[in-house]
Amino acid sequence: MAFQTPLTINEVIGNIHSKKYLLPSIQREFVWSTNQITKLFDSLMRDYPINAFLFWKVSKENVSEFRFYEFLRDYHQRKKRHNEKANLNGSEDIIAVLDGQQRLTSLYIGLKGSYAYKLSYKRWDNEQAYPVRKLYLNLLGSSDDPEYEYEFEFLTDAESKNNDENHHWFPVGKILDLKEQGDVNEYLIENDLSSNSDKTKAKFANRTLFKLHTVIHTTPIISYYLEQSKELDKVLNIFIRVNSGGTTLSYSDLLLSFATAQWEEKDAREEINSFVDEINEIGRGFNVNKDFVLKACLVLSDFNDISFKVDNFNKSNMLKIQDNWDDITKAIRDAMKLISSFGFSRENITSNNLIIPIAYYLKHIGLPDNFEISNATISDRVKIKKWFTRALLKRVFSFMPDGVLKPIRDIINKNNGKEFPLDEIINHFKGTNRTLVFTDEDIKNLMYSKYGHGDTLVIMSILYPWADLRNNFHVDHMHPKSGFTKKKLQKRGISEESIEFYLENYNYIGNLQLLESIPNIEKSNMDFDKWITDTISKETMDDYKSKHYIPKNIDLSITNFEQFLDEREKMIIQKLKSELL
């Protein structure tokens, strides 16, 4: 391994663009945030070192022996997170990046690509939640953030046009077109930056743009070592060593690297990434990652040790996972379909590890088709749902999940296989910090679950066992939340003391119900007493009140909210006790 003559960023970006630089299959995927990218560019502008890179030269005679991927060019948080497999037909020698992928991808995205991340206030499946952004540099002033000297920002096209006396947003990628210093001068003149009446800003713009030109075109910043070994084992060991510092590879990254190198019949990287994408689209959507899939592989392959340790990533284990891959993926897929049919999704599952015992059980009983809808499995599904909801509410997977996964796997193996061993699991963990047993106090505490919290739908699934949550049910305020303002309550003649109670309690479980989407839309902001009288017939009123835990023979107007809430909470507590105690 020899140190090479450093390169300019412009040369490296050209090599990435022409696909001379590629990524070996053992590399993990791009994970840097926009903040990390802007910090990298700020460091370059301040002449901070960004460490050496490690490249691997693969001759054209040996290219076909390995799998390689292209650099990510336009990152999209939902749709484009995976690297495309490189087409190496008739390829010349290539350079594979062993260390420095995150930095090089960041440079490419900043100079030639784009970055689309989700807006925090929009749903993950909303196409408009991921506006495309490119990197810009403000030429009229430094950053307000004390950690930065230069103001780099990822902006949409519309945002980049918001120039004013303190901002001129320069598209960083345009510096690639300004090849000569004369081109830089022309840009400054054409945009009236050199003649700015504020001389301080004019000087800043001049220094900043020329500095960017120097960083990209002139200074050989990319220092690197070159490895030329033909032995994959040696390259893999080098890769692991160099990635043990800095942003350390997680054990799941190592496992994926080993699987990719050692699977003989499948491409582990493509199989796992595409499977993660597939199962995240089930139902209303999930949020699992490769760590979850790889942990499930260890559990479902019946390895004695299921922890993420390098010793578990040997070739025989990897080949066993490869051989069982189809059964493993069907078990996970069927488990997630089942959980989705219970009404759960990324919005209300606090730990994805809860899905693994269900997948193991389905694999243990032979992976029956249509388990989530078959009439023959109704009783079994009830037991699984009871375990799942209890485990969610008790947070049994909130720490050291292996301490739950292994015992449950052992119990399932010892079970006769007729139905999910709910009682055996409950008895095993009784009296421990993983207990699934509820006390009266536990159930009273559930009454403090609020609208919008993950536990609320879990509780609703217990209270409404008849509701098919695959359909579009909404968690609805019985007394509409729009009525709970101080001004509106005063108009209704509610006392000041009671108003405080109303405002503190309207959002809790006692004022919530499950309602199908169309009736909920129709109900809107109608007073609850008027809506129920106008909508529910006299013949079905008693049945409706029973199904929704509505006290009978009391005034249902908002002026009687305190009595309504008190009596309804008693009914809900009674139901939860019957199910959980």
Side-chain angles (χ1 to χ4, degrees), residues 306-341:
I306 61 173
S307 59
F308 283 139
K309 296 194 302 187
V310 174
D311 291 346
N312 292 333
F313 304 162
N314 57 65
K315 186 165 186 175
S316 62
N317 282 357
M318 294 304 98
L319 291 178
K320 183 175 182 181
I321 291 173
Q322 177 187 249
D323 293 341
N324 286 307
W325 180 245
D326 290 342
D327 285 348
I328 289 170
T329 53
K330 179 172 172 29
I332 297 171
R333 186 185 298 112
D334 289 352
M336 297 185 78
K337 286 180 181 177
L338 178 61
I339 299 309
S340 176
S341 74

Side-chain angles (χ1 to χ4, degrees), residues 91 267 357 376 407 464 520 539:
S91 178
D267 185 323
Y464 291 83
N520 186 40
E539 293 76 19

Side-chain angles (χ1 to χ4, degrees), residues 26 54 98 231-244 254 258 310:
I26 55 177
L54 177 58
L98 292 179
E231 300 174 17
L232 181 59
D233 287 345
K234 179 181 178 182
V235 173
L236 184 61
N237 285 327
I238 293 172
F239 172 72
I240 292 168
R241 286 285 184 91
V242 299
N243 280 283
S244 63
L254 287 175
F258 272 70
V310 174

Side-chain angles (χ1 to χ4, degrees), residues 295-395:
K295 173 64 76 173
C297 285
L298 295 175
V299 176
L300 271 64
S301 295
D302 282 308
F303 296 144
N304 182 53
D305 190 347
I306 61 173
S307 59
F308 283 139
K309 296 194 302 187
V310 174
D311 291 346
N312 292 333
F313 304 162
N314 57 65
K315 186 165 186 175
S316 62
N317 282 357
M318 294 304 98
L319 291 178
K320 183 175 182 181
I321 291 173
Q322 177 187 249
D323 293 341
N324 286 307
W325 180 245
D326 290 342
D327 285 348
I328 289 170
T329 53
K330 179 172 172 29
I332 297 171
R333 186 185 298 112
D334 289 352
M336 297 185 78
K337 286 180 181 177
L338 178 61
I339 299 309
S340 176
S341 74
F342 295 159
F344 295 102
S345 67
R346 63 190 290 131
E347 306 293 337
N348 45 48
I349 294 181
T350 54
S351 173
N352 290 320
N353 285 317
L354 279 146
I355 301 167
I356 295 177
I358 300 173
Y360 187 85
Y361 173 72
L362 294 177
K363 183 171 180 286
H364 179 73
I365 62 174
L367 298 171
D369 290 329
N370 302 316
F371 184 89
E372 79 278 10
I373 58 173
S374 172
N375 288 332
T377 60
I378 291 175
S379 175
D380 214 3
R381 293 201 301 270
V382 168
K383 288 188 174 183
I384 292 174
K385 184 178 178 182
K386 284 188 175 183
W387 172 79
F388 190 81
T389 53
R390 284 170 177 261
L392 266 178
L393 292 173
K394 279 291 191 175
R395 301 285 196 275

Side-chain angles (χ1 to χ4, degrees), residues 519-573:
N520 186 40
I521 293 168
E522 292 173 345
K523 178 174 177 283
S524 188
N525 294 326
M526 285 180 64
D527 286 350
F528 180 57
D529 55 339
K530 176 175 173 49
W531 176 84
I532 195 170
T533 301
D534 292 351
T535 307
I536 310 301
S537 68
K538 290 182 180 180
E539 293 76 19
T540 61
M541 181 66 77
D542 284 346
D543 181 56
Y544 185 88
K545 286 184 175 180
S546 295
K547 288 171 69 175
H548 290 270
Y549 310 94
I550 300 171
K552 298 176 182 177
N553 304 318
I554 70 164
D555 176 10
L556 295 179
S557 70
I558 195 170
T559 56
N560 195 40
F561 179 68
E562 292 184 63
Q563 183 188 5
F564 164 81
L565 192 67
D566 179 60
E567 295 197 20
R568 186 165 188 261
E569 284 186 346
K570 289 176 183 176
M571 297 173 71
I572 291 173
I573 287 173

Side-chain angles (χ1 to χ4, degrees), residues 18 24 55 78-79 129 160 231 260 264 334 354 373 410 482 537 581:
S18 64
F55 296 164
R78 184 182 177 205
K79 289 185 175 180
S160 71
E231 300 174 17
T260 300
E264 296 173 349
D334 289 352
L354 279 146
I373 58 173
D410 292 342
S482 62
S537 68
L581 287 184

